[in-house]
Each structure stands twice: as C-alpha cells, then as structure tokens.
Amino acid sequence: MADKFINKKFNKAKLLGFGFIEEDGTFVYNQLLMDNQFKLSVLIDSSGNIRTKLIDLATDELYTLHLVEGVNGTFVGKIKEEYNNILERISAECFEPDVFKAEQTKELILYIKEKYNDDPEYLWEKFPDNAIVRRKDNAKWYAGFLTVSKQKFGFKETASVEVIDLRAENVDELIDFTTVFPGYHMNKKHWITIILDGSVSLNAIKSKIDESYMIAKKR
C-alpha cells in the first residue's frame, strides 16, 4: 500500500470531494467491496499516515488475507484487486506530489505557482525526484527541479542536493562553479544550475526564474 503514496501529500479539498469525511482530525472513507460482502475503511490522519480496515460483513470481523504475500486464490485475488484499485484512485485523485524537501525548493515552487500559475511536471517514471516547469503559451521549459549528488558539481560530498535549472543569457559570465554551475542535463550554452542550499538568496533565484520565463517566450 505504502508505495502508492510515496512522495505524495493529500489535498484536503480533494479528499472531501472524493467522499472522505473528517472526524476529529482524521479523514475517513468507507467503501463496500465484493458485492457488499466487505466494508473497506481508509483512514488518513493529519500527518498523512494511512491505515485501512477491511471488515467481513458476514462475521463482522477484520479480514487480513488480502495483505498477506503468497496467499493466492480467485476469491482473495479479487479482493486484492478491488482493494488496490480503490487505493490507486485515492492516490491519483486526492494526493499531489511532495518530492522536494529543501525549504528553498518549496518556496520557489510556491513562487512559480503564485506568479505564473504553473506547477512542476514529473515526466520521468525512472526519475521521480526530477520535475520541469513550462510556459502555458508555448510549452517551453523555463525551470527544472532535480535531486542530484553534489559530486556531479565537483564537490567531495556524496550527499544529494536539490537544484534548479534555469535558462539564462550570458551564461559564461554567471557561472562561478561555487554557487552557479553549467546547466545540469541541459544545454550548457543556455542553462545554468543553482544548488538550493541557501548559498544563493531566494530573491536572486526568483529574479533568475523571471528572466528564464521571459527567455523561454523568445525561443
């Protein structure tokens, strides 16, 4: 179950629209399965922790075989299928990506949303912690958020960091290989990369986002 909700956060309005009911800070959704033979309850607390209960209505007892690996059979298989389908729907319809953790990354994503009404798009299944942002009018990318090893930028540390890729003019004049680097996985003649660890001020990065947005209009 957990893998369906990795790096995601719930949207309260979407939960309520889906049919969840808020009870003492917990969101509860009930659904009948297997031609009304079972009742599934999905419970999500305020921190996003998810629990499920499946009750066999014939006995009023908790049913757990659908959670046991290696248990097969037509009946259990059908229960597993219906159970997983509901969780996948909840994940798709009520949850949003929550991949990036750095404070600067979160603030920049919010800035882009508030100013340009654009959201990160997660295009690569093999790279779920990478996203791009594009203009609505011409679909040109103007920002990329990625999680990259610091070693990729010449540092000795192996820790991963979050970075932003941006279009820029006069790229060679901006790159100092300390705070601003050639565009990672982008055309290095036209893109720069900034590590989102506070080494460059938030306002300075916002200004570069605005420039990148305008450059993307021209290209």
PDB file of all heavy atoms in Angstrom, residues 3-23:
ATOM      1  N   ASP A   3       3.659   2.156  -1.200  1.00  0.00           N
ATOM      2  CA  ASP A   3       4.320   2.634  -2.413  1.00  0.00           C
ATOM      3  C   ASP A   3       3.415   3.509  -3.261  1.00  0.00           C
ATOM      4  O   ASP A   3       3.889   4.311  -4.069  1.00  0.00           O
ATOM      5  CB  ASP A   3       4.853   1.462  -3.232  1.00  0.00           C
ATOM      6  CG  ASP A   3       3.751   0.502  -3.665  1.00  0.00           C
ATOM      7  OD1 ASP A   3       2.689   0.486  -3.034  1.00  0.00           O
ATOM      8  OD2 ASP A   3       3.970  -0.231  -4.637  1.00  0.00           O
ATOM      9  N   LYS A   4       2.111   3.398  -3.089  1.00  0.00           N
ATOM     10  CA  LYS A   4       1.180   4.221  -3.857  1.00  0.00           C
ATOM     11  C   LYS A   4       1.193   5.669  -3.387  1.00  0.00           C
ATOM     12  O   LYS A   4       0.708   6.563  -4.100  1.00  0.00           O
ATOM     13  CB  LYS A   4      -0.236   3.660  -3.739  1.00  0.00           C
ATOM     14  CG  LYS A   4      -0.430   2.271  -4.330  1.00  0.00           C
ATOM     15  CD  LYS A   4      -1.845   1.784  -4.127  1.00  0.00           C
ATOM     16  CE  LYS A   4      -2.077   0.416  -4.756  1.00  0.00           C
ATOM     17  NZ  LYS A   4      -1.218  -0.635  -4.197  1.00  0.00           N
ATOM     18  N   PHE A   5       1.719   5.913  -2.190  1.00  0.00           N
ATOM     19  CA  PHE A   5       1.647   7.249  -1.602  1.00  0.00           C
ATOM     20  C   PHE A   5       3.023   7.833  -1.289  1.00  0.00           C
ATOM     21  O   PHE A   5       3.120   8.853  -0.628  1.00  0.00           O
ATOM     22  CB  PHE A   5       0.797   7.196  -0.324  1.00  0.00           C
ATOM     23  CG  PHE A   5      -0.601   6.700  -0.562  1.00  0.00           C
ATOM     24  CD1 PHE A   5      -0.916   5.354  -0.405  1.00  0.00           C
ATOM     25  CD2 PHE A   5      -1.602   7.559  -0.973  1.00  0.00           C
ATOM     26  CE1 PHE A   5      -2.204   4.880  -0.644  1.00  0.00           C
ATOM     27  CE2 PHE A   5      -2.889   7.103  -1.220  1.00  0.00           C
ATOM     28  CZ  PHE A   5      -3.197   5.761  -1.048  1.00  0.00           C
ATOM     29  N   ILE A   6       4.091   7.181  -1.790  1.00  0.00           N
ATOM     30  CA  ILE A   6       5.447   7.682  -1.556  1.00  0.00           C
ATOM     31  C   ILE A   6       5.604   9.046  -2.229  1.00  0.00           C
ATOM     32  O   ILE A   6       5.207   9.249  -3.370  1.00  0.00           O
ATOM     33  CB  ILE A   6       6.490   6.689  -2.094  1.00  0.00           C
ATOM     34  CG1 ILE A   6       6.500   5.418  -1.235  1.00  0.00           C
ATOM     35  CG2 ILE A   6       7.880   7.312  -2.118  1.00  0.00           C
ATOM     36  CD1 ILE A   6       7.425   4.343  -1.763  1.00  0.00           C
ATOM     37  N   ASN A   7       6.218   9.982  -1.503  1.00  0.00           N
ATOM     38  CA  ASN A   7       6.477  11.332  -2.010  1.00  0.00           C
ATOM     39  C   ASN A   7       5.204  12.019  -2.497  1.00  0.00           C
ATOM     40  O   ASN A   7       5.204  12.723  -3.509  1.00  0.00           O
ATOM     41  CB  ASN A   7       7.512  11.301  -3.138  1.00  0.00           C
ATOM     42  CG  ASN A   7       8.904  10.987  -2.634  1.00  0.00           C
ATOM     43  OD1 ASN A   7       9.251  11.291  -1.489  1.00  0.00           O
ATOM     44  ND2 ASN A   7       9.714  10.367  -3.463  1.00  0.00           N
ATOM     45  N   LYS A   8       4.133  11.800  -1.746  1.00  0.00           N
ATOM     46  CA  LYS A   8       2.878  12.472  -2.048  1.00  0.00           C
ATOM     47  C   LYS A   8       2.280  13.046  -0.771  1.00  0.00           C
ATOM     48  O   LYS A   8       2.546  12.567   0.321  1.00  0.00           O
ATOM     49  CB  LYS A   8       1.878  11.496  -2.691  1.00  0.00           C
ATOM     50  CG  LYS A   8       2.205  11.104  -4.119  1.00  0.00           C
ATOM     51  CD  LYS A   8       1.052  10.333  -4.742  1.00  0.00           C
ATOM     52  CE  LYS A   8       1.268  10.100  -6.217  1.00  0.00           C
ATOM     53  NZ  LYS A   8       0.093   9.455  -6.847  1.00  0.00           N
ATOM     54  N   LYS A   9       1.480  14.090  -0.929  1.00  0.00           N
ATOM     55  CA  LYS A   9       0.764  14.674   0.200  1.00  0.00           C
ATOM     56  C   LYS A   9      -0.710  14.811  -0.183  1.00  0.00           C
ATOM     57  O   LYS A   9      -1.044  15.032  -1.351  1.00  0.00           O
ATOM     58  CB  LYS A   9       1.347  16.041   0.567  1.00  0.00           C
ATOM     59  CG  LYS A   9       1.272  17.070  -0.550  1.00  0.00           C
ATOM     60  CD  LYS A   9       1.910  18.379  -0.151  1.00  0.00           C
ATOM     61  CE  LYS A   9       1.886  19.377  -1.318  1.00  0.00           C
ATOM     62  NZ  LYS A   9       2.523  20.661  -0.948  1.00  0.00           N
ATOM     63  N   PHE A  10      -1.580  14.682   0.805  1.00  0.00           N
ATOM     64  CA  PHE A  10      -3.001  14.747   0.475  1.00  0.00           C
ATOM     65  C   PHE A  10      -3.460  16.193   0.308  1.00  0.00           C
ATOM     66  O   PHE A  10      -2.898  17.124   0.868  1.00  0.00           O
ATOM     67  CB  PHE A  10      -3.845  14.016   1.521  1.00  0.00           C
ATOM     68  CG  PHE A  10      -3.915  14.675   2.869  1.00  0.00           C
ATOM     69  CD1 PHE A  10      -4.751  15.759   3.103  1.00  0.00           C
ATOM     70  CD2 PHE A  10      -3.162  14.194   3.934  1.00  0.00           C
ATOM     71  CE1 PHE A  10      -4.836  16.358   4.343  1.00  0.00           C
ATOM     72  CE2 PHE A  10      -3.235  14.777   5.183  1.00  0.00           C
ATOM     73  CZ  PHE A  10      -4.069  15.863   5.381  1.00  0.00           C
ATOM     74  N   ASN A  11      -4.482  16.341  -0.491  1.00  0.00           N
ATOM     75  CA  ASN A  11      -5.155  17.619  -0.684  1.00  0.00           C
ATOM     76  C   ASN A  11      -6.508  17.508   0.011  1.00  0.00           C
ATOM     77  O   ASN A  11      -7.352  16.712  -0.393  1.00  0.00           O
ATOM     78  CB  ASN A  11      -5.327  17.901  -2.182  1.00  0.00           C
ATOM     79  CG  ASN A  11      -6.023  19.218  -2.453  1.00  0.00           C
ATOM     80  OD1 ASN A  11      -7.110  19.481  -1.962  1.00  0.00           O
ATOM     81  ND2 ASN A  11      -5.391  20.047  -3.275  1.00  0.00           N
ATOM     82  N   LYS A  12      -6.700  18.302   1.056  1.00  0.00           N
ATOM     83  CA  LYS A  12      -7.909  18.170   1.877  1.00  0.00           C
ATOM     84  C   LYS A  12      -9.180  18.342   1.050  1.00  0.00           C
ATOM     85  O   LYS A  12     -10.129  17.561   1.177  1.00  0.00           O
ATOM     86  CB  LYS A  12      -7.883  19.189   3.011  1.00  0.00           C
ATOM     87  CG  LYS A  12      -9.123  19.150   3.894  1.00  0.00           C
ATOM     88  CD  LYS A  12      -9.029  20.149   5.039  1.00  0.00           C
ATOM     89  CE  LYS A  12     -10.301  20.135   5.878  1.00  0.00           C
ATOM     90  NZ  LYS A  12     -10.226  21.088   7.017  1.00  0.00           N
ATOM     91  N   ALA A  13      -9.190  19.346   0.199  1.00  0.00           N
ATOM     92  CA  ALA A  13     -10.390  19.593  -0.606  1.00  0.00           C
ATOM     93  C   ALA A  13     -10.687  18.405  -1.522  1.00  0.00           C
ATOM     94  O   ALA A  13     -11.850  18.035  -1.716  1.00  0.00           O
ATOM     95  CB  ALA A  13     -10.212  20.869  -1.426  1.00  0.00           C
ATOM     96  N   LYS A  14      -9.640  17.800  -2.057  1.00  0.00           N
ATOM     97  CA  LYS A  14      -9.836  16.655  -2.942  1.00  0.00           C
ATOM     98  C   LYS A  14     -10.311  15.434  -2.161  1.00  0.00           C
ATOM     99  O   LYS A  14     -11.120  14.648  -2.658  1.00  0.00           O
ATOM    100  CB  LYS A  14      -8.555  16.356  -3.702  1.00  0.00           C
ATOM    101  CG  LYS A  14      -8.208  17.415  -4.742  1.00  0.00           C
ATOM    102  CD  LYS A  14      -6.947  17.065  -5.511  1.00  0.00           C
ATOM    103  CE  LYS A  14      -6.648  18.102  -6.575  1.00  0.00           C
ATOM    104  NZ  LYS A  14      -5.415  17.793  -7.340  1.00  0.00           N
ATOM    105  N   LEU A  15      -9.797  15.256  -0.938  1.00  0.00           N
ATOM    106  CA  LEU A  15     -10.281  14.155  -0.106  1.00  0.00           C
ATOM    107  C   LEU A  15     -11.781  14.297   0.143  1.00  0.00           C
ATOM    108  O   LEU A  15     -12.545  13.338  -0.014  1.00  0.00           O
ATOM    109  CB  LEU A  15      -9.542  14.128   1.235  1.00  0.00           C
ATOM    110  CG  LEU A  15      -8.108  13.619   1.270  1.00  0.00           C
ATOM    111  CD1 LEU A  15      -7.565  13.699   2.698  1.00  0.00           C
ATOM    112  CD2 LEU A  15      -7.999  12.188   0.761  1.00  0.00           C
ATOM    113  N   LEU A  16     -12.198  15.502   0.529  1.00  0.00           N
ATOM    114  CA  LEU A  16     -13.610  15.722   0.831  1.00  0.00           C
ATOM    115  C   LEU A  16     -14.460  15.557  -0.431  1.00  0.00           C
ATOM    116  O   LEU A  16     -15.562  15.016  -0.383  1.00  0.00           O
ATOM    117  CB  LEU A  16     -13.798  17.111   1.439  1.00  0.00           C
ATOM    118  CG  LEU A  16     -13.107  17.338   2.795  1.00  0.00           C
ATOM    119  CD1 LEU A  16     -13.285  18.775   3.247  1.00  0.00           C
ATOM    120  CD2 LEU A  16     -13.646  16.373   3.856  1.00  0.00           C
ATOM    121  N   GLY A  17     -13.935  16.014  -1.565  1.00  0.00           N
ATOM    122  CA  GLY A  17     -14.653  15.855  -2.823  1.00  0.00           C
ATOM    123  C   GLY A  17     -14.776  14.404  -3.240  1.00  0.00           C
ATOM    124  O   GLY A  17     -15.744  14.013  -3.895  1.00  0.00           O
ATOM    125  N   PHE A  18     -13.797  13.595  -2.864  1.00  0.00           N
ATOM    126  CA  PHE A  18     -13.807  12.170  -3.198  1.00  0.00           C
ATOM    127  C   PHE A  18     -14.846  11.420  -2.381  1.00  0.00           C
ATOM    128  O   PHE A  18     -15.357  10.378  -2.809  1.00  0.00           O
ATOM    129  CB  PHE A  18     -12.423  11.579  -2.933  1.00  0.00           C
ATOM    130  CG  PHE A  18     -12.231  10.181  -3.437  1.00  0.00           C
ATOM    131  CD1 PHE A  18     -11.810   9.946  -4.739  1.00  0.00           C
ATOM    132  CD2 PHE A  18     -12.466   9.082  -2.609  1.00  0.00           C
ATOM    133  CE1 PHE A  18     -11.624   8.658  -5.206  1.00  0.00           C
ATOM    134  CE2 PHE A  18     -12.286   7.793  -3.064  1.00  0.00           C
ATOM    135  CZ  PHE A  18     -11.868   7.570  -4.369  1.00  0.00           C
ATOM    136  N   GLY A  19     -15.145  11.947  -1.180  1.00  0.00           N
ATOM    137  CA  GLY A  19     -16.116  11.290  -0.312  1.00  0.00           C
ATOM    138  C   GLY A  19     -15.623  11.017   1.095  1.00  0.00           C
ATOM    139  O   GLY A  19     -16.332  10.397   1.898  1.00  0.00           O
ATOM    140  N   PHE A  20     -14.420  11.469   1.417  1.00  0.00           N
ATOM    141  CA  PHE A  20     -13.926  11.333   2.778  1.00  0.00           C
ATOM    142  C   PHE A  20     -14.714  12.239   3.709  1.00  0.00           C
ATOM    143  O   PHE A  20     -15.204  13.311   3.317  1.00  0.00           O
ATOM    144  CB  PHE A  20     -12.443  11.709   2.859  1.00  0.00           C
ATOM    145  CG  PHE A  20     -11.496  10.624   2.420  1.00  0.00           C
ATOM    146  CD1 PHE A  20     -11.238  10.411   1.071  1.00  0.00           C
ATOM    147  CD2 PHE A  20     -10.868   9.810   3.358  1.00  0.00           C
ATOM    148  CE1 PHE A  20     -10.361   9.408   0.654  1.00  0.00           C
ATOM    149  CE2 PHE A  20      -9.990   8.808   2.954  1.00  0.00           C
ATOM    150  CZ  PHE A  20      -9.742   8.607   1.606  1.00  0.00           C
ATOM    151  N   ILE A  21     -14.825  11.814   4.948  1.00  0.00           N
ATOM    152  CA  ILE A  21     -15.456  12.612   5.995  1.00  0.00           C
ATOM    153  C   ILE A  21     -14.412  12.881   7.070  1.00  0.00           C
ATOM    154  O   ILE A  21     -13.688  11.970   7.483  1.00  0.00           O
ATOM    155  CB  ILE A  21     -16.671  11.884   6.597  1.00  0.00           C
ATOM    156  CG1 ILE A  21     -17.742  11.669   5.525  1.00  0.00           C
ATOM    157  CG2 ILE A  21     -17.243  12.660   7.777  1.00  0.00           C
ATOM    158  CD1 ILE A  21     -18.918  10.822   5.991  1.00  0.00           C
ATOM    159  N   GLU A  22     -14.321  14.131   7.522  1.00  0.00           N
ATOM    160  CA  GLU A  22     -13.350  14.478   8.558  1.00  0.00           C
ATOM    161  C   GLU A  22     -13.955  14.244   9.934  1.00  0.00           C
ATOM    162  O   GLU A  22     -15.014  14.792  10.259  1.00  0.00           O
ATOM    163  CB  GLU A  22     -12.908  15.933   8.413  1.00  0.00           C
ATOM    164  CG  GLU A  22     -11.755  16.305   9.324  1.00  0.00           C
ATOM    165  CD  GLU A  22     -11.204  17.680   9.046  1.00  0.00           C
ATOM    166  OE1 GLU A  22     -11.786  18.407   8.208  1.00  0.00           O
ATOM    167  OE2 GLU A  22     -10.185  18.051   9.666  1.00  0.00           O
ATOM    168  N   GLU A  23     -13.286  13.406  10.715  1.00  0.00           N
ATOM    169  CA  GLU A  23     -13.751  13.077  12.058  1.00  0.00           C
ATOM    170  C   GLU A  23     -12.598  13.243  13.051  1.00  0.00           C
ATOM    171  O   GLU A  23     -11.660  12.456  13.047  1.00  0.00           O
ATOM    172  CB  GLU A  23     -14.276  11.633  12.117  1.00  0.00           C
ATOM    173  CG  GLU A  23     -15.442  11.365  11.182  1.00  0.00           C
ATOM    174  CD  GLU A  23     -15.882   9.906  11.209  1.00  0.00           C
ATOM    175  OE1 GLU A  23     -15.182   9.089  11.863  1.00  0.00           O
ATOM    176  OE2 GLU A  23     -16.900   9.577  10.573  1.00  0.00           O
TER     177      GLU A  23
END
